[in-house]
Amino acid sequence: MTAARYRPAWDLTLDPLLSCKLCLGEFPPEEMTTLSQCQCIFCTQCLKQYVELLIRDGLEPNVSCPDSACPKQGRLQEDEIECMVAAESLQRYKRLQFEREVLLDPCRTWCPSSSCQAVCRLPEAEPPGSQPARCPLCRLDFCSLCRAAWHPGRACRDRDRDRDRDPERPPGNSEASPIKRCPKCQVFIQRDEGCAQMMCKNCKHAFCWFCLESLDDDFLLIHYDKGPCRNKLGHSRASVIWHRTQVVGIFAGFGLLLLVASPLLLLATPFVLCCKCKCSKRDDDPLPT
């Protein structure tokens, strides 16, 4: 954030300073930017850092107004972003937009091959169902519904059941596949390495990579203590124990703080009420004549 500029109140020769809602500093109008859609005003430097941070983290393809209380819930236009960020950030922003467009387009999808980044056009069918699709780049034939290798005359669930029975089958959309859909918002997620606890950047849903079961409420990661995903978290046992100790310590700390503060609040209640009574009596006393 840039340092705010101040000048004496008696200096009336210049234009008045404007306040930035992000850094709360005051700047001359030439150092401020007004969003065309919602007319919210921010200093140019703060707005630039905000836009570059969103693009770098890939949180959303559309950059919303930084003011959480914006009455119009405005968004930055593409020409405003182009004038604000570096060429590398702009290229990443356009790529995020394109990925979002492909995701929402029922007639397009990404090639299921992890080594191919081509966009494939899906055949139109009414009602939508399993249809053969071919990647124009790597010539891979795959199913438009489950994105596994094309399986004519067989349902997608039948192939999944056969794959579970025969672990030696080639991995298509199986547990070993590096690309899967988020079980909540259906966004494609690629996992190169790391632990099996995944969090979707699009909807913030936490889930297990292997079985896609929700981990939103599993703070202690008990899911990996039993069942088919046992010991598949990808961390050592000591690391898991340390994680659980930290989580339990945080909850215990809040509980202890509440336990200590409760008696003090009960003891302070009569004094607070007494002070209020005295104040009300003083307000009700007639003025001396």
Side-chain angles (χ1 to χ4, degrees):
M1 301 292 180
T2 57
R5 297 184 180 181
Y6 300 93
R7 60 186 176 210
W10 46 265
D11 188 357
L12 302 178
T13 59
L14 300 177
D15 294 333
L17 298 178
L18 301 177
S19 178
C20 174
K21 296 181 180 181
L22 291 177
C23 65
L24 304 181
E26 294 184 338
F27 303 88
E30 60 269 16
E31 297 184 15
M32 304 292 288
T33 297
T34 303
L35 302 185
S36 59
Q37 191 174 27
C38 58
Q39 302 301 310
C40 292
I41 303 177
F42 308 92
C43 73
T44 304
Q45 187 64 25
C46 285
L47 195 59
K48 177 181 178 181
Q49 294 178 2
Y50 165 77
V51 173
E52 288 186 341
L53 179 63
L54 284 185
I55 296 176
R56 185 191 66 189
D57 293 342
L59 296 181
E60 54 179 284
N62 296 319
V63 181
S64 59
C65 174
D67 185 5
S68 58
C70 176
K72 296 184 179 180
Q73 297 182 351
R75 295 184 181 275
L76 275 75
Q77 303 299 315
E78 188 168 344
D79 57 341
E80 294 175 327
I81 297 176
E82 289 179 357
C83 299
M84 202 169 299
V85 299
E88 183 180 354
S89 298
L90 181 61
Q91 184 178 5
R92 176 174 173 78
Y93 166 74
K94 290 185 176 181
R95 180 168 59 85
L96 289 173
Q97 274 194 323
F98 178 71
E99 291 177 353
R100 184 72 173 180
E101 290 175 2
V102 174
L103 176 66
L104 298 178
D105 189 351
C107 297
R108 290 188 295 175
T109 187
W110 296 97
C111 176
S113 175
S114 59
S115 59
C116 180
Q117 298 295 324
V119 176
C120 308
R121 182 160 294 276
L122 299 177
E124 298 182 4
E126 291 293 340
S130 178
Q131 296 289 331
R134 170 169 290 187
C135 174
L137 186 61
C138 67
R139 314 303 293 177
L140 173 68
D141 292 323
F142 62 95
C143 174
S144 62
L145 192 61
C146 67
R147 301 180 77 249
W150 173 237
H151 46 91
R154 304 175 62 190
C156 298
R157 59 178 180 271
D158 295 335
R159 298 187 75 256
D160 293 338
R161 189 183 303 116
D162 293 342
R163 190 184 302 115
D164 294 337
R165 293 175 181 173
D166 186 3
E168 299 299 327
R169 290 179 63 88
N173 196 21
S174 64
E175 182 179 286
S177 176
I179 300 178
K180 293 184 179 180
R181 285 182 180 267
C182 169
K184 187 174 183 180
C185 67
Q186 300 302 311
V187 169
F188 288 110
I189 298 176
Q190 181 174 0
R191 175 177 178 259
D192 296 328
E193 57 184 7
C195 70
Q197 182 192 21
M198 307 296 294
M199 176 174 285
C200 176
K201 282 189 175 182
N202 186 56
C203 65
K204 309 302 180 186
H205 175 58
F207 61 95
C208 172
W209 176 259
F210 298 106
C211 66
L212 303 181
E213 184 175 334
S214 175
L215 300 178
D216 287 334
D217 300 325
D218 191 0
F219 302 107
L220 300 180
L221 301 178
I222 305 298
H223 174 76
Y224 298 98
D225 288 344
K226 55 185 178 179
C229 298
R230 181 180 180 182
N231 298 328
K232 288 186 177 182
L233 178 60
H235 291 285
S236 63
R237 189 64 181 173
S239 176
V240 175
I241 293 176
W242 174 243
H243 166 76
R244 293 175 179 176
T245 303
Q246 289 179 313
V247 174
V248 172
I250 292 174
F251 282 104
F254 278 113
L256 182 62
L257 181 62
L258 183 62
L259 185 64
V260 172
S262 297
L264 297 178
L265 292 175
L266 292 176
L267 291 175
T269 300
F271 295 99
V272 174
L273 294 176
C274 183
C275 292
K276 286 187 176 181
C277 292
K278 289 182 179 180
C279 292
S280 60
K281 287 182 180 180
R282 289 176 184 176
D283 295 338
D284 295 338
D285 289 341
L287 295 176
T289 57

